[in-house]
Amino acid sequence: MACGPGDTPPMNNVPSPAEELVVLDRELARLDVRRSQLLARRAWLLSVLHTPVAAVPAWRRPATETAPRSAQHVLLTLGGVLLAVAAIAFTLVSWGHLGIGGRAAVLTVLTAGALAAPVALLRRRLASTAEAVASLGLLLTVLDAYAVHRVGLPEAGAVGYAAGASAVLAALWAAYGTAVGGLRVPVPAAVVAGQLPLSLWAVASDAGALTVCWALLATAGLDVAVALWARPGTGVRVVACVAACATGGWAVLAAVWFSAVDGGAGPAVLLLVAAGLAGFGAWRVAAGAESWSVAWAVVAGLVAVAGGGGLVREVVPQGWAVPGYLVAAVVVWAAAASGGVPRGVARGLTGASAGVQALAVAWALPQVAAVLGGVRPGVPWAVVAVPVTVAGVLVSPRSRPARCGALALAWTAGMSLPGALSLPYAATLVAHLLLSAGFLVLAVRPSSLTVRLPEARDAEGALGDVALGGALLGASVAAFGARATEAAAVAVLGVLAGLFAGGAVAGRGTRRTVMACAAVVAGTGFVGAVAAAVELPVHLTGVALLAVPVATAAVGAVLRRHPAAVPVESAGAAAGALGVGLASARPGVLALALALGGVVAAATAVRPERRPVAGYAATALFVAAAWVRLAASGVSSPEAYALPVAVPALAVGVLRRRRDPEASSWVAYGPGLASALVPSLFAAWGDTGWPRPLVLGLVALAVTLAGARLRLQAPLLLGGAVLALDGLHELAPYVVQAVGAVPRWLPPALAGLLLLAVGATYEQRMRDARRLRDTLGRMG
């Protein structure tokens, strides 16, 4: 018996597991062959069974490419078109061959038959055929009207007759469509024909373009009435809405053009009537489709602003046109916020008013910027009125964005007010400083801006940041305006430095940091202004500016790990860099400025939290000061420049190795040794004398011996490399002479012998190289 996967094989297992596995594999292979044979037989049997069925041709109905109703529509349309072409050709070409009676008989029979046939067709439920015949009948009535004008009333004016004929046809078609139920063409056709009578009558009467606009608007009003009267979902309502948009749109566009170019109350009144019509439509569709209500309300709001602004423009001075339109926009805003207005209508009116207010602000801002930049002498009162009005509107909504916008517009109005009042120069500066101070107070305590806001706590941050932006911009404008006189610059920059310093003391969070940095910037400007006032030279002004990093370093020492400490000291460092740049006009003064900067950095490095960065900066400044002083004194020896760097670097390396014995010698001594040896090496290679190479060789030898004695890689390798190169420099002239005296065949021969010797002792040389590598690796 075969054992299962978890059974213990019996002691007398015959056959063995290996033999039994071979047997199983053979049986499985036989089963696979048999399965393949059976599958092939099954496939042949299936093909035999299906061959007779496939051989018998089955009759199938050809696939149709068009639906019966579509084919019917095509045929009816083609038939109607052909009959219409025939009727037109008969009327235009063959009309003159018949007498009066014949003409009347033909017209009567054709028209009456075409209009009466749909009644019978509808009774037989042939609706599509009835529609086609009815359309032909409507076309025949148009031909009848044309024929009557050509024969019966040739003296009537074409435009006036067309106005009357279109009115009669519209009435007849509407009555016909209403009387004969089930026809969808006559009533929409009557709506289309009804677009012509009033406008054609206005054109025929030569009443003027404005009268034509009134006629179009009246037609649009009738279209709105028809759209409201018609049942929802019918073609009549769709046609009436499209017609109202077309005729009303043309009337509004023409009236806006007349109002903008010629002015007058007539176009403005027309626009107000059009706005009322659009608003009525928005109100009626508000319950069913809010999106359409919003769209109609936007149109109504914009047209109302155009009309109301046109009326206001007639009674205000010439430069107050934009504020006049803004007043109309505010009225629309108030109407939307008054309550009792459907939500869609309120949204549309608010959007229209907001768009107009934004355009008005965009009109005012460039003029305010031009005045603040000194391009224009003053600001018109109309420009000031725009931001004041919009700011007053934005105060009413209880939302954070609205309050932020109101605050920004209040700043714009306040900065432009001195120009509108034509204040003197000093008074303008004082006004700008007072405005900046006020916004700075709001930035420090923004809670006064969040009164009656539901999200007062969340809004304080945003409103405080807008307020702070206004204070910074106001300070920039005041500082820019104070550039005219030195006394004004000193006074303004001093006041700004004090204001921002006070704000930094009283403020909180990120705004405190920004105000502190602004105080540093203002203080830098104040020092520069004072230096200019006492007529200091440029290089001494640079030295004076170093008072700013001194002050900021002292403040940083007081603040220590406060978040504002690093930004304040960085701003002071930037002022110091500016001072160094100004001091570069005189090399001696530049060296003094660099040294003073190094003293400030070294004093800062004493503090634990600033030690690494400030220490590096102090070292760099002291070295730069020494180099500048040496260059100013005419010193050209590289050792004078290298040793002031190398000695402190080696001292720092010694301290580093004492504090951290595991530190690598390359990190501790590498920079100092390289600074001391490499410049002298380059100088020695270009020096024809013997003292420098001799001294350099002795120093390199001492460094190499010290590295070998102390088992340090950096001194050993650097000193050895410099010693070897220095010696090569000294031996180079003799090598050149020797090479010149040697025959040309000797160098290749010596090279070959060297290669043979190296090849012969290659293994020993590899052991020596590995031993040297291990020795260097054990060094520090």
Side-chain angles (χ1 to χ4, degrees):
M1 178 182 295
C3 296
D7 297 336
T8 303
M11 297 299 295
N12 54 353
N13 184 14
V14 180
S16 66
E19 293 173 347
E20 185 177 3
L21 181 62
V22 172
V23 173
L24 290 177
D25 289 338
R26 289 175 183 171
E27 291 295 330
L28 289 173
R30 279 205 256 339
L31 289 175
D32 289 337
V33 173
R34 183 58 178 166
R35 176 179 173 81
S36 301
Q37 294 173 351
L38 294 175
L39 288 174
R41 180 66 177 176
R42 181 178 183 276
W44 181 81
L45 291 174
L46 289 175
S47 63
V48 171
L49 290 174
H50 288 285
T51 298
V53 177
V56 178
W59 180 86
R60 292 184 299 174
R61 180 177 298 179
T64 58
E65 297 181 355
T66 2
R69 187 170 295 276
S70 301
Q72 178 189 14
H73 289 167
V74 171
L75 293 176
L76 292 175
T77 302
L78 290 175
V81 169
L82 291 176
L83 289 176
V85 170
I88 294 172
F90 172 78
T91 305
L92 297 178
V93 179
S94 304
W95 182 257
H97 300 290
L98 299 176
I100 297 296
R103 298 173 187 175
V106 170
L107 285 174
T108 301
V109 172
L110 289 178
T111 305
L115 294 177
V119 178
L121 292 173
L122 287 175
R123 291 176 181 174
R124 295 177 176 270
R125 297 182 180 179
L126 300 175
S128 300
T129 307
E131 294 286 355
V133 176
S135 302
L136 178 61
L138 299 182
L139 177 61
L140 288 175
T141 57
V142 176
L143 297 177
D144 293 342
Y146 169 75
V148 169
H149 177 259
R150 286 290 305 269
V151 177
L153 299 171
E155 69 283 355
V159 180
Y161 179 81
S166 60
V168 172
L169 289 176
L172 289 176
W173 292 352
Y176 175 72
T178 305
V180 181
L183 292 177
R184 293 176 296 177
V185 174
V187 178
V191 174
V192 174
Q195 308 307 304
L196 301 176
L198 292 178
S199 56
L200 292 178
W201 167 82
V203 172
S205 60
D206 294 330
L210 188 59
T211 304
V212 177
C213 292
W214 277 108
L216 289 172
L217 186 60
T219 304
L222 295 175
D223 293 331
V224 172
V226 171
L228 296 175
W229 164 79
R231 293 191 305 272
T234 60
V236 178
R237 172 166 288 188
V238 175
V239 173
C241 289
V242 173
C245 293
T247 54
W250 279 111
V252 167
L253 291 177
V256 169
W257 172 262
F258 294 145
S259 178
V261 175
D262 301 329
V269 173
L270 187 145
L271 290 172
L272 290 176
V273 174
L277 184 63
F280 174 73
W283 197 295
R284 287 298 302 266
V285 301
E290 185 174 342
S291 58
W292 284 105
S293 176
V294 172
W296 279 106
V298 169
V299 173
L302 293 176
V303 176
V305 170
L311 287 179
V312 175
R313 194 178 64 177
E314 295 298 317
V315 298
V316 297
Q318 183 177 2
W320 286 78
V322 173
Y325 287 103
L326 181 60
V327 169
V330 173
V331 173
V332 172
W333 180 288
S338 60
V341 181
R343 185 176 64 176
V345 178
R347 287 175 55 192
L349 293 178
T350 302
S353 177
V356 175
Q357 294 180 55
L359 291 176
V361 171
W363 170 80
L365 286 181
Q367 302 183 65
V368 175
V371 173
L372 296 181
V375 179
R376 291 180 52 182
V379 180
W381 276 104
V383 176
V384 181
V386 169
V388 170
T389 304
V390 179
V393 172
L394 292 178
V395 169
S396 56
R398 298 181 182 180
S399 66
R400 178 173 56 185
R403 292 287 174 89
C404 292
L407 196 61
L409 292 173
W411 180 91
T412 303
M415 296 301 292
S416 59
L417 187 60
L421 293 172
S422 300
L423 294 180
Y425 175 70
T428 300
L429 291 180
V430 171
H432 288 169
L433 287 175
L434 289 175
L435 183 66
S436 301
F439 272 79
L440 194 61
V441 171
L442 293 176
V444 173
R445 294 291 181 266
S447 57
S448 58
L449 299 172
T450 60
V451 179
R452 301 176 63 188
L453 283 183
E455 69 280 11
R457 186 178 300 274
D458 297 335
E460 282 190 10
L463 290 170
D465 297 338
V466 171
L468 179 57
L472 294 174
L473 287 176
S476 302
V477 172
F480 183 78
R483 74 192 187 283
T485 62
E486 295 172 351
V490 171
V492 169
L493 290 171
V495 171
L496 290 176
L499 286 175
F500 283 112
V505 172
R508 296 190 301 269
T510 306
R511 290 191 293 276
R512 168 183 287 182
T513 303
V514 174
M515 287 185 280
C517 294
V520 175
V521 174
T524 304
F526 173 74
V527 174
V530 171
V534 298
E535 298 181 351
L536 281 181
V538 175
H539 57 282
L540 294 182
T541 301
V543 176
L545 286 177
L546 294 178
V548 177
V550 172
T552 56
V555 173
V558 175
L559 296 177
R560 291 189 175 274
R561 299 186 183 276
H562 192 277
V566 173
V568 167
E569 293 183 80
S570 300
L578 176 62
V580 170
L582 294 177
S584 61
R586 297 284 183 88
V589 179
L590 176 60
L592 175 62
L594 290 171
L596 291 176
V599 171
V600 176
T604 306
V606 177
R607 294 155 48 193
E609 72 276 5
R610 299 286 185 270
R611 185 172 295 152
V613 177
Y616 297 144
T619 303
L621 289 171
F622 281 133
V623 170
W627 286 357
V628 171
R629 183 68 266 175
L630 291 171
S633 301
V635 176
S636 58
S637 176
E639 290 78 11
Y641 296 89
L643 291 180
V645 179
V647 173
L650 290 174
V652 172
V654 172
L655 295 177
R656 173 69 182 276
R657 288 278 294 186
R658 286 183 179 178
R659 189 169 60 249
D660 182 13
E662 300 298 327
S664 172
S665 62
W666 289 103
V667 175
Y669 305 122
L673 291 174
S675 301
L677 298 176
V678 174
S680 297
L681 178 64
F682 280 104
W685 272 80
D687 194 351
T688 58
W690 60 270
R692 175 179 279 116
L694 177 60
V695 174
L696 177 63
L698 293 175
V699 173
L701 177 60
V703 170
T704 304
L705 294 176
R709 175 71 179 80
L710 300 175
R711 302 179 63 82
L712 298 175
Q713 287 185 7
L716 177 63
L717 295 181
L718 282 175
V722 172
L723 181 62
L725 291 174
D726 185 63
L728 180 63
H729 170 265
E730 294 303 309
L731 293 176
Y734 306 103
V735 173
V736 170
Q737 293 177 4
V739 170
V742 169
R744 294 186 176 182
W745 56 268
L746 185 58
L750 293 176
L753 290 175
L754 178 63
L755 292 175
L756 288 176
V758 170
T761 60
Y762 177 78
E763 185 176 0
Q764 181 64 33
R765 299 288 81 77
M766 291 297 296
R767 284 198 298 268
D768 295 341
R770 282 193 292 270
R771 189 179 299 110
L772 177 61
R773 183 194 62 189
D774 296 337
T775 302
L776 292 175
R778 287 193 295 271
M779 292 183 177

